[in-house]
Amino acid sequence: MTDVYADRAIDRSHMTVSDQVAIQIQGMNKWYGSFHVLRDIDLTVRRGERIVIAGPSGSGKSTLIRCINRLEEHQSGRIVVDGVELTNDLKNIDKVRSEVGMVFQHFNLFPHLTVLENCTLAPIWVRRVPRREALATAMRYLEKVRIPEQAHKYPGQLSGGQQQRVAIARSLCMEPKIMLFDEPTSALDPEMIKEVLDTMIELAQDGMTMICVTHEMGFAQAVANRVIFMDQGQIVEQNTPHEFFNNPQSERTKLFLSQILGH
Amino acid sequence: MSELHAETVAYVRDSMLPQGAPPSRQSGSVLWLRQNLFSGPLNTILTLLGLAVVWFLVSHFWPWFSHSVWNASSMAECRQIIAERWGQGATGGCFAVIRERWNQFLFGFFPPSEYWRPTAAFGLMFFAIAPVLFTESRALRWTVMAVAAVLTFALCMLLGAPPRALLVLAVVVVGLTALNEYAHRAALVFSLLFPFVAVWLLWGGSIWGPLCVLAGFVLGFAVWRALSRLGLFAVAAGVAAAAAWWMFMSDRAASDLQSLLPVALPYVESRAFGGFVLAITIGVSGIVMSLPLGIILALARRSDMPVVKAFAVMFIEFIRGVPLITLLFVASLLLNYFLPPGTNFDIILRVIIMVTLFASAYMAEVIRGGLAALPKGQYEAADSLGLDYWKAQRLIVLPQALKISIPGIVGTFIGLFKDTTLVTFVGLFDPLKQMADTIRATFAWKGAYWEPYIFTGAIFFILCFSMSRYSMYLEQRLKREHR
């Protein structure tokens, strides 16, 4: 456990939460075959919120956020993202996906393209942004994640932390309204976790709506305005980080926290 | 610091060690020999055995080859010369048959005055493929085109091309080289036009025929672009427009244009095609068309749509389960029963279609292997960025999957090219069997067995080995450090 942010003062003044709803999930259920992975999920995310989802492995945290951009299909209930309901309509799905950025555990950069090409591909082909403009935007975001000098390298030539920062920049280049992070630091060496978390904190300070599945509890305490604890496909508890860590209500949460914080 | 001290007292390194040189190894040819050929008793025995086999082969083949005769007018004369020169009972190759009949191995029954046409088509092919094959290396493109230009021009001149044709060829060659130099992307237009140029050069006739067929493609494309917002309907409309043009207008337009502005080459019938002109025509057409068809089949087989998937599976499994010769027989015999009477569907075209379908089934499986080898995360990343299916395939999936499949794809190409010799079974004059048989059927060259095989084998080897080398080059070029 790297509690690098536990005691650090983070300027939360910009991190305002508006009343507008960004994501609304109502009574959502999902099965893998006969296995009930997500059970009756209700979740409303307002614009500017920063939500950390924690829970033991197999609890359905990743599946939940993958449902939000339809990498996984839900079988019942409603998911409305930025006013668009996710149904089988492919047009709606592509629309939602271009508004929702996603960062994966294993980066999933395109190895046959340079860093810069990774960042400009979707703006050019999905948003139809002129090439020159897309390049400028890409360079701006690469500077933001502090690796503009690697722009012309291939992903395979970068370290894990650098690759993950490129992945974040790649998502940002689509200027998404919501960012999903699926265990973004779990595949990184301890030395590189900090550089990625720093980038994510900056993003939070800029007011991005974020949902992060992560085991970085320090990050949760410093940045999140809500922590959600999941187990067996259900939301067991949700609260402000302060309450969640200092005053957990359910037995399952207490057990989980004692196990991950107790060493 | 003593050993004991180091273990008992906390230790802090005060300076980092510099990078050291690797231990110097013994080197030289003796070491190489000992390590690779004579490293133990078993290896020594195997090496000696290998040497004996090589010696046995060379000692038998070399006298035959070194006694070979290149200047004679018949097999009998060859034998006589060998007997005179090397004594009774000596054997030797009679490569005079190649010297006398090389034109038939290369051009079949093409009219000798038109030999320059297939030659020009073959030469221009390099201008069509160079911008596609060597996208990143200007130097290589240049080399390929310079060599092709000089050789094509010189050979066409030697083969007696008319001065007017030579002039046009020179202008075209210089123009294409300049186009590649100054507008690399525009040069790709010639790559698309080349099939029509090649068809005209090979079969001859009015230039307006191929041009009107081309006009059908342009028309279909234009209709599709104009209606592109309508999705699949636009595709159907484009295809319908092109088909209508070809069925009702194309022929009339071609003959009208021909009477207005006659540009024509002497017509050469498909029956006159033979030797390597035939093999390369079928091989190159099959190669060029089987790759896109194979990609579509591979994608169809991985599709979520059950009907599309079922069709792809049935097609691939059927074609792979049937020998190519069966398909060729279908092309030459059965197809005529199904076509309306009076339609004259060119035999070479029929064979090309069958060879293409055959190769595309194998190609599909090779590419499916590449698609399956891609990590799932690549598909998910493409999806999460909002790329639709076709964009994701084109920009993310296929570039990587095709790269993985290069060895298999080129293997299929080489197989296809060598399989073109099977057209012998439907009465076409392939270079290896039918052409050689035809030459042996003349009294003078009765009994010339080895020489034609060695000659055609050598040409096949050069062409196939070039493809193989190209695939190695491409793999090297596309090597990116992975993940």
Side-chain angles (χ1 to χ4, degrees), chain B residues 96-441:
Chain B
V97 64
I98 307 300
R99 191 191 162 95
E100 286 273 306
R101 297 297 191 95
W102 62 271
N103 52 346
Q104 284 197 303
F105 284 110
L106 297 186
F107 298 105
F109 300 106
F110 224 80
S113 62
E114 309 297 323
Y115 279 173
W116 66 273
R117 276 160 46 182
T119 313
F122 187 67
L124 287 177
M125 183 179 80
F126 289 95
F127 286 87
I129 61 177
V132 182
L133 296 189
F134 305 106
T135 45
E136 275 176 19
S137 164
R138 190 169 148 270
L140 271 171
R141 269 200 317 268
W142 248 105
T143 317
V144 169
M145 282 188 285
V147 172
V150 171
L151 281 182
T152 311
F153 194 78
L155 285 174
C156 284
M157 202 150 75
L158 282 176
L159 291 167
R164 238 178 358 155
L166 281 176
L167 187 68
V168 173
L169 188 65
V171 170
V172 168
V173 161
V174 171
L176 287 175
T177 314
L179 196 62
N180 260 293
E181 183 62 19
Y182 297 112
H184 174 214
R185 294 185 73 85
L188 290 170
V189 174
F190 177 72
S191 306
L192 288 175
L193 294 180
F194 174 74
F196 302 94
V197 176
V199 164
W200 185 56
L201 279 173
L202 286 171
W203 277 273
S206 158
I207 195 174
W208 298 109
L211 280 184
C212 283
V213 173
L214 174 63
F217 283 107
V218 175
L219 178 73
F221 183 74
V223 168
W224 172 68
R225 275 313 282 263
L227 302 174
S228 63
R229 271 179 307 142
L230 301 177
L232 261 166
F233 175 75
V235 177
V239 171
W245 165 263
W246 287 324
M247 265 155 65
F248 303 115
M249 305 279 288
S250 180
D251 286 349
R252 262 229 318 271
S255 62
D256 286 356
L257 283 166
Q258 173 66 11
S259 53
L260 268 176
L261 184 69
V263 182
L265 287 169
Y267 180 64
V268 178
E269 268 193 49
S270 287
R271 286 282 156 195
F273 280 55
F276 278 98
V277 167
L278 180 72
I280 293 174
T281 303
I282 296 173
V284 170
S285 315
I287 284 172
V288 169
M289 293 191 293
S290 65
L291 183 61
L293 202 55
I295 291 173
I296 291 170
L297 281 170
L299 293 179
R301 192 166 184 170
R302 286 172 65 87
S303 166
D304 295 331
M305 290 180 270
V307 178
V308 173
K309 184 177 174 164
F311 171 77
V313 170
M314 280 192 300
F315 179 88
I316 292 169
E317 295 306 332
F318 172 74
I319 297 275
R320 288 205 309 169
V322 171
L324 176 57
I325 297 176
T326 318
L327 294 177
L328 292 178
F329 277 132
V330 169
S332 84
L333 303 170
L334 269 176
L335 223 52
N336 276 351
Y337 291 111
F338 297 117
L339 292 172
T343 40
N344 182 20
F345 198 15
D346 188 89
I347 176 75
I348 294 184
L349 184 58
R350 279 183 272 164
V351 165
I352 287 175
I353 290 172
M354 284 304 177
V355 168
T356 304
L357 294 182
F358 186 76
S360 66
Y362 285 85
M363 193 67 72
E365 289 298 275
V366 166
I367 293 168
R368 194 165 66 95
L371 291 172
L374 268 200
K376 201 163 150 249
Q378 291 292 308
Y379 293 89
E380 287 178 352
D383 283 347
S384 75
L385 287 170
L387 292 165
D388 64 30
Y389 176 81
W390 289 107
K391 281 177 193 151
Q393 297 300 324
R394 195 177 120 208
L395 301 166
I396 308 300
V397 176
L398 283 175
Q400 296 183 61
L402 290 179
K403 189 195 118 189
I404 299 171
S405 336
I406 288 171
I409 290 174
V410 175
T412 312
F413 282 167
I414 290 176
L416 180 155
F417 184 52
K418 290 190 294 187
D419 280 352
T420 58
T421 51
L422 291 174
V423 298
T424 183
F425 289 103
V426 293
L428 292 177
F429 287 82
D430 77 291
L432 195 69
K433 167 108 171 73
Q434 200 89 321
M435 212 61 242
D437 278 354
T438 311
I439 289 162
R440 275 194 291 272

Side-chain angles (χ1 to χ4, degrees), chain A residues 137-151:
Chain A
T137 312
M139 281 315 291
R140 203 174 70 232
Y141 282 115
L142 286 175
E143 267 158 34
K144 192 175 167 64
V145 301
R146 288 189 288 276
I147 32 176
E149 71 282 359
Q150 314 282 6

Side-chain angles (χ1 to χ4, degrees), chain A residues 6 12 217 220-227 237-249 257:
Chain A
R12 283 169 174 261
M217 291 303 135
Q221 283 179 343
V223 176
N225 54 353
R226 193 154 32 130
V227 178
E237 184 165 349
Q238 49 175 318
N239 216 331
T240 59
H242 185 265
E243 285 295 302
F244 179 82
F245 287 110
N246 298 319
N247 190 15
Q249 300 297 312
L257 286 176

Side-chain angles (χ1 to χ4, degrees), chain A residues 189-209:
Chain A
D189 291 342
E191 277 186 313
M192 293 170 182
I193 291 176
K194 185 176 177 302
E195 61 187 53
V196 171
L197 290 182
D198 278 341
T199 310
M200 288 167 65
I201 287 171
E202 267 175 51
L203 207 55
Q205 283 171 337
D206 291 346
M208 176 65 77
T209 312

